[in-house]
Amino acid sequence: MSEQLEKKDLDSLRERGLTQEDLASYRDTILKGFPYMKLHGNAEPGSGIKLISPEEKEKFRSVYQNKEGIEVVKFVPASGAASRMFKELYAYIETGKVSDNVVTFLDELSDYPFYDQLLAEAKMSEEDLATEEGKRKAVEFLLSENGMNYGSYPKGMIKFHQYDDGHKRTAFEEHFHEGAMYAQKGGKVRIHFTIPEETAEE
């Protein structure tokens, strides 16, 4: 590398078990790009996919339902903070930049499950949302700590699901309902959630 590394940079490399040659190699890869992956074909029965016969399905189903001592756990991967998902809305609040996605979001805001909650907690009306000032106020309230704080919540805690009867659920609630349908064993449903450490207390 042509750049001279400072001592703190060299210390940081050593802490990670890396050498200057490793760093140079990573830099070259980033600058030159990664080669395209060559695909050999589709995954299909007999080539990466094993088909299970009706008899095998029934056997496995019976083991799952009847065998004592099996502990079933529904695993839910990490629900990261929603800040990245709302990146363009943050730009809209801070700079007034209106991207196509922001336009779509504002046009369809009333379709979102959290719409009524937003209006009620922000003390706004539908008429307020007809003005540019009202739209920005609503988005800011939705994301900020002084409002609904959706920008900092794990995505799993945001109401994204709405049913014909008006019932609304977060993604976490949907996992509870799914678990009750297929992950119940001995009258219990065990669900393992992973969430960002900074949101563990929310």
Side-chain angles (χ1 to χ4, degrees):
M1 294 183 67
S2 58
E3 298 86 350
Q4 185 66 37
L5 296 178
E6 297 181 4
K7 182 178 182 302
K8 65 178 182 179
D9 299 320
L10 295 173
D11 291 341
S12 180
L13 285 175
R14 279 193 292 271
E15 288 175 4
R16 291 168 169 77
L18 300 173
T19 65
Q20 292 189 60
E21 289 74 22
D22 292 328
L23 182 61
S25 174
Y26 297 153
R27 180 176 181 273
D28 288 343
T29 300
I30 292 173
L31 292 175
K32 296 176 182 177
F34 294 86
Y36 288 103
M37 180 176 291
K38 295 180 180 179
L39 302 180
H40 297 286
N42 297 324
E44 55 189 10
S47 178
I49 294 180
K50 173 179 170 55
L51 296 181
I52 299 175
S53 68
E55 292 77 16
E56 289 176 309
K57 290 180 182 178
E58 188 56 39
K59 173 186 174 182
F60 295 140
R61 184 180 295 112
S62 177
V63 170
Y64 179 80
Q65 293 175 340
N66 302 318
K67 186 171 179 62
E68 296 295 330
I70 290 181
E71 185 175 287
V72 178
V73 178
K74 175 177 167 58
F75 177 74
V76 182
S79 178
S83 54
R84 284 183 298 173
M85 182 172 62
F86 294 130
K87 180 179 179 180
E88 292 183 45
L89 291 180
Y90 277 115
Y92 168 63
I93 295 171
E94 295 168 4
T95 67
K97 179 182 178 181
V98 183
S99 66
D100 291 342
N101 287 331
V102 170
V103 171
T104 300
F105 177 82
L106 294 172
D107 287 345
E108 300 177 355
L109 184 58
S110 60
D111 295 331
Y112 284 90
F114 50 74
Y115 177 70
D116 292 335
Q117 180 185 354
L118 172 61
L119 290 185
E121 293 189 13
K123 296 181 172 57
M124 298 180 67
S125 66
E126 293 187 355
E127 289 73 22
D128 294 326
L129 295 177
T131 67
E132 186 61 30
E133 180 183 358
K135 292 174 182 177
R136 290 184 68 169
K137 177 184 175 183
V139 173
E140 186 170 1
F141 189 87
L142 178 71
L143 301 181
S144 69
E145 293 182 4
N146 296 326
M148 293 170 64
N149 203 25
Y150 267 21
S152 298
Y153 274 15
K155 290 190 290 291
M157 292 178 66
I158 294 176
K159 291 181 179 178
F160 274 137
H161 303 258
Q162 183 166 267
Y163 293 86
D164 292 339
D165 62 1
H167 187 67
K168 302 165 185 177
R169 293 177 186 165
T170 66
F172 283 154
E173 289 173 317
E174 292 287 13
H175 283 297
F176 288 131
H177 284 269
E178 283 186 11
M181 287 190 290
Y182 67 77
Q184 183 179 162
K185 200 72 175 172
K188 295 181 179 179
V189 178
R190 295 176 173 85
I191 303 180
H192 180 98
F193 287 102
T194 61
I195 58 175
E197 185 176 354
E198 61 270 19
T199 63
E201 299 300 324
E202 294 182 5

